[in-house]
Amino acid sequence: MAEQSGSRGTGRPEQGGSAGRRLVDAVDAFLAHARHARGLSEQTLRAYANDLEQLTTFAERRGVDGVDGVGLELLRDWLWEADQRGLARSTIARRSSSVRAFTRWSSETGVTATDAGVRLRAPKGGAHLPRVMSADQVRSLLDGLGSRAATDDPGALRDLALVELLYAAAIRVSELVGIDLPDVDRGRLTVRVLGKGGKERVVPFGTPARDALEAWTTRGRPELAARAEQPSTALFLGDRGGRLGVRSAYRVVARLLDDLPGEGPSGPHTFRHTAATHLLDGGADLRAVQELLGHASLGTTQIYTHVSSARLREVYRTAHPRA
């Protein structure tokens, strides 16, 4: 989310462009448009006004009063907070609809450069928490991959290195497939990744991931690289020798997770969720985890504290004689 450069709550909105335009003024303009140009019902207009007033208040608490500061992450945090407060699903769905109408109008009229709400979805029932694997499940899965990789099959060596790095560095799959060979520093045990919004960060990983990467780059990658028509600097290669794509990486991980128990989607993000939760369970500071994950907002990271709390409650109910 972009930082605001203007002073909060002062000055008039610019009429010739979006720069410096206050969120409250943009909301007023949208509501006027909705009333006079779209002929919406009074009930819908009241819902828009109430929901966007709540959004404005939430944004101000985050230090955002300019419409350009309202990004997808802030909108997700707003809906997430509503969910944690126990608001009805129908209310959260209506809020999502209201803000998407506002951001669509903002984009179409040039108030903002992009539509921040185009990918916003209200949280679904029963999907409060991300899927998280246990430490034993992770260990068993990696042991199985290690046995396959011991045969020096290039695909198995790649898959082991891929999963080890996903879990060790808690990175997004889009960040993983964008890594080039020079981005990995096996001496310092760090990898440089390009995250959302083009933000670069350096992330640590452990010795098991280092060993898996060493085996992949020395014994597996050269064989796949030889199949390519043109050389690639990508760390991870597909079967034809080109850079491994997001979909291919997703299929690799989904196949591995298919037989494991647990609810939620079976994809690369499972390892990111799992790593974050295991770090917090192990006593890591929330701010440090936020930095590791590359979250712009601490509120996005805080969902993992709820995962840990849920696991604690489950253990309590199972083990405590007076639970």
Side-chain angles (χ1 to χ4, degrees):
M1 187 173 64
E3 293 183 359
Q4 301 307 299
S5 57
S7 58
R8 182 177 174 183
T10 61
R12 295 185 301 172
E14 293 184 15
Q15 300 302 316
S18 65
R21 188 160 191 176
R22 294 194 306 160
L23 175 59
V24 65
D25 295 323
V27 167
D28 286 345
F30 166 73
L31 293 175
H33 164 80
R35 177 177 296 277
H36 299 297
R38 296 180 58 190
L40 299 175
S41 69
E42 285 298 320
Q43 182 178 0
T44 299
L45 290 169
R46 282 196 300 270
Y48 277 174
N50 179 70
D51 293 337
L52 294 174
E53 180 183 4
Q54 297 295 325
L55 171 63
T56 301
T57 301
F58 178 85
E60 287 176 348
R61 292 205 310 267
R62 296 294 181 90
V64 174
D65 73 338
V67 66
D68 282 340
V70 179
L72 178 61
E73 199 150 21
L74 183 140
L75 296 177
R76 284 174 170 167
D77 285 355
W78 178 54
L79 294 184
W80 176 83
E81 183 191 63
D83 181 61
Q84 296 304 307
R85 285 167 46 202
L87 268 64
R89 293 289 165 191
S90 58
T91 300
I92 298 174
R94 192 200 65 220
R95 284 190 172 193
S96 177
S97 177
S98 295
V99 78
R100 280 188 282 114
F102 169 64
T103 60
R104 182 170 60 249
W105 168 86
S106 297
S107 175
E108 290 173 351
T109 56
V111 172
T112 55
T114 59
D115 182 351
V118 69
R119 294 191 291 124
L120 184 69
R121 296 292 180 270
K124 297 178 181 179
H128 293 278
L129 303 176
R131 180 179 183 179
V132 175
M133 301 167 65
S134 69
D136 286 342
Q137 285 178 322
V138 174
R139 190 177 302 109
S140 175
L141 187 149
L142 290 172
D143 286 346
L145 283 172
S147 297
R148 285 179 46 213
T151 66
D152 276 357
D153 174 75
L157 287 164
R158 178 200 59 204
D159 294 351
L160 175 61
L162 183 152
V163 172
E164 282 279 14
L165 193 57
L166 276 175
Y167 177 62
I171 55 179
R172 302 176 178 95
V173 65
S174 58
E175 296 168 345
L176 177 95
V177 299
I179 297 172
D180 289 325
L181 289 168
D183 295 329
V184 181
D185 188 331
R186 289 197 290 271
R188 291 191 173 93
L189 297 180
T190 60
V191 59
R192 184 172 63 246
V193 297
L194 195 64
K196 290 184 177 180
K199 294 181 179 179
E200 186 180 281
R201 69 186 192 281
V202 176
V203 186
F205 56 83
T207 52
R210 180 201 61 192
D211 294 343
L213 287 168
E214 180 73 24
W216 155 243
T217 53
T218 58
R219 305 204 307 271
R221 189 182 182 281
E223 182 173 333
L224 294 188
R227 303 174 186 176
E229 295 181 2
Q230 294 181 339
S232 172
T233 61
L235 174 62
F236 291 109
L237 303 178
D239 293 339
R240 296 182 180 179
R243 183 183 295 272
L244 188 72
V246 169
R247 289 185 180 180
S248 296
Y250 191 99
R251 283 195 295 268
V252 167
V253 175
R255 193 165 56 242
L256 293 171
L257 298 179
D258 272 347
D259 297 329
L260 290 179
E263 299 179 353
S266 298
H269 233 60
T270 297
F271 287 102
R272 181 169 162 87
H273 294 321
T274 298
T277 304
H278 290 179
L279 282 165
L280 290 170
D281 284 344
D285 177 77
L286 187 63
R287 290 281 184 187
V289 175
Q290 177 192 4
E291 186 74 18
L292 178 74
L293 297 176
H295 285 160
S297 166
L298 189 62
T300 308
T301 315
Q302 283 174 328
I303 188 172
Y304 300 108
T305 65
H306 290 265
V307 175
S308 297
S309 298
R311 294 165 75 83
L312 178 62
R313 287 195 299 271
E314 181 181 349
V315 169
Y316 179 86
R317 285 196 298 267
T318 302
H320 199 289
R322 303 286 287 182

